[in-house]
Amino acid sequence: MSDNELGTFLRTWREAVSPAEVGLPTGSRRRTPGLRRAELATLAGMSVEYLTRLEQGRDRNPSAQVLGALADALHLSLNDRMLLRRLTKEADGGDPLVCGAAPSLGRTARPTVRSVLDRLGPAPALVVNWIGDILAHTAGYERLAGPLGLLDDERPNLLRYLFTDERARGAYRDWDRVADDLVARLRHGAPLRDPYVAELADELTVTAGADFADRFADLAVVPRRTGSQHIEHPEAGSLRLLHETLVLPDEGQRVIIHLPADDATAAALDRLNGRRPGALRAVGDVG
């Protein structure tokens, strides 16, 4: 991990925002992508020298007012503003209250959570912890994921499968988008300075190389709670799935429910589960 993630975040966003987006003229001789430091400093009402110190990691404890001004100048969304604050806490050594309250990494799902899963069938649904270990799943998920090889390991992990199993790229037609989201979830969904995240990140940096490492270093990507996947299934054919995520904050776990995005997928999942058509209904179409 970088030891200056706050500075990297600010620089990444500064270079991603065009002058036109913030009402500045676009010149023909710009050597810097996005905004120049002087431009962002002016928009945020601070000196170039101070912004330089923040980006270079020589000042790691900006005030809330400074963070707000930078977020306004960069037009950050609420999620990105929360990430900016989180990185500031992390750069300053972490928030003792937050770190002390963080749950330990769960390796099992509570009985009541498993009971919820039982009632979600025949939909493919699973419970994962913050590093992507699959802790429990419905029979519908086993029929969906089993033929893909996702459950082959003794302790299956979404990220390890996606980045190190050659079958994953054939299974996910939108592999890049799925990879972006899973890594963003790993990077931003865990407690500050989590050793389990660091261990998995080190492993995948070696085994998967730049495909993983470049994504893990990109602080500007934040995870989505809802999304879609396009899966080529060896038994059910082409499947278009939506997913919804329910967060269990006290356990540091998530319930992910996959739902058919169209009638063809709903019918294919019914066949895969040995049910009559109509057990699953399409939620809506995806682009």
Side-chain angles (χ1 to χ4, degrees):
M1 296 187 193
S2 167
D3 63 356
N4 181 28
E5 292 178 344
L6 173 61
T8 300
F9 179 88
L10 291 173
R11 186 174 63 255
T12 299
W13 270 102
R14 175 172 61 81
E15 294 176 348
V17 175
S18 69
E21 289 179 82
V22 294
L24 295 176
T26 303
S28 59
R29 295 185 177 181
R30 300 184 67 89
R31 293 181 297 174
T32 303
L35 298 177
R36 300 185 179 99
R37 275 184 183 152
E39 291 170 334
L40 177 57
T42 298
L43 290 169
M46 64 186 63
S47 69
V48 179
E49 291 76 14
Y50 183 58
L51 178 57
T52 301
R53 292 203 305 272
L54 288 175
E55 288 193 358
Q56 293 179 349
R58 292 185 285 119
D59 188 316
R60 300 182 180 226
N61 192 25
S63 68
Q65 290 76 15
V66 166
L67 293 179
L70 286 167
D72 288 343
L74 293 169
H75 295 179
L76 298 186
S77 67
L78 176 59
N79 282 343
D80 292 324
R81 288 168 186 259
M82 293 172 65
L83 173 56
L84 177 60
R85 185 176 184 276
R86 170 193 170 96
L87 293 176
T88 304
K89 291 288 186 184
E90 191 167 21
D92 195 35
D95 186 331
L97 285 176
V98 173
C99 292
S104 58
L105 182 69
R107 299 291 191 184
T108 59
R110 284 189 287 111
T112 51
V113 176
R114 289 179 176 270
S115 181
V116 170
L117 280 185
D118 291 340
R119 287 158 174 77
L120 290 175
L126 65 158
V127 180
V128 296
N129 59 21
W130 65 68
I131 62 170
D133 290 335
I134 299 175
L135 310 180
H137 53 76
T138 62
Y141 184 78
E142 183 169 0
R143 294 187 182 99
L144 172 69
L148 304 178
L150 213 161
L151 300 176
D152 284 359
D153 289 346
E154 182 178 353
R155 194 169 69 192
N157 179 280
L158 294 176
L159 285 123
R160 192 174 286 116
Y161 169 78
L162 193 73
F163 282 97
T164 65
D165 194 313
E166 61 183 14
R167 293 171 291 186
R169 290 182 185 266
Y172 291 98
R173 289 184 58 178
D174 47 359
W175 186 93
D176 285 303
R177 184 152 56 92
V178 174
D180 288 345
D181 194 56
L182 280 183
V183 175
R185 180 73 61 182
L186 176 71
R187 179 65 186 80
H188 302 309
L192 296 175
R193 303 184 183 278
D194 179 65
Y196 298 101
V197 171
E199 181 181 1
L200 182 60
D202 287 347
E203 173 195 329
L204 293 177
T205 296
V206 174
T207 56
D211 278 342
F212 172 82
D214 290 350
R215 287 178 167 87
F216 194 71
D218 187 353
L219 304 178
V221 180
V222 295
R224 299 167 297 169
R225 184 165 294 185
T226 61
S228 62
Q229 295 176 359
H230 195 164
I231 293 176
E232 292 298 332
H233 196 274
E235 298 176 11
S238 183
L239 303 174
R240 285 154 42 99
L241 299 168
L242 302 175
H243 65 262
E244 182 73 37
T245 302
L246 308 178
V247 179
L248 307 174
D250 290 342
E251 288 80 17
Q253 297 173 4
R254 293 172 286 129
V255 180
I256 305 172
I257 306 103
H258 294 282
L259 299 164
D262 53 37
D263 291 337
T265 297
L269 290 178
D270 283 338
R271 290 193 299 272
L272 195 63
N273 285 288
R275 291 175 175 257
R276 292 181 179 179
L280 286 170
R281 296 184 180 179
V283 175
D285 206 359
V286 292

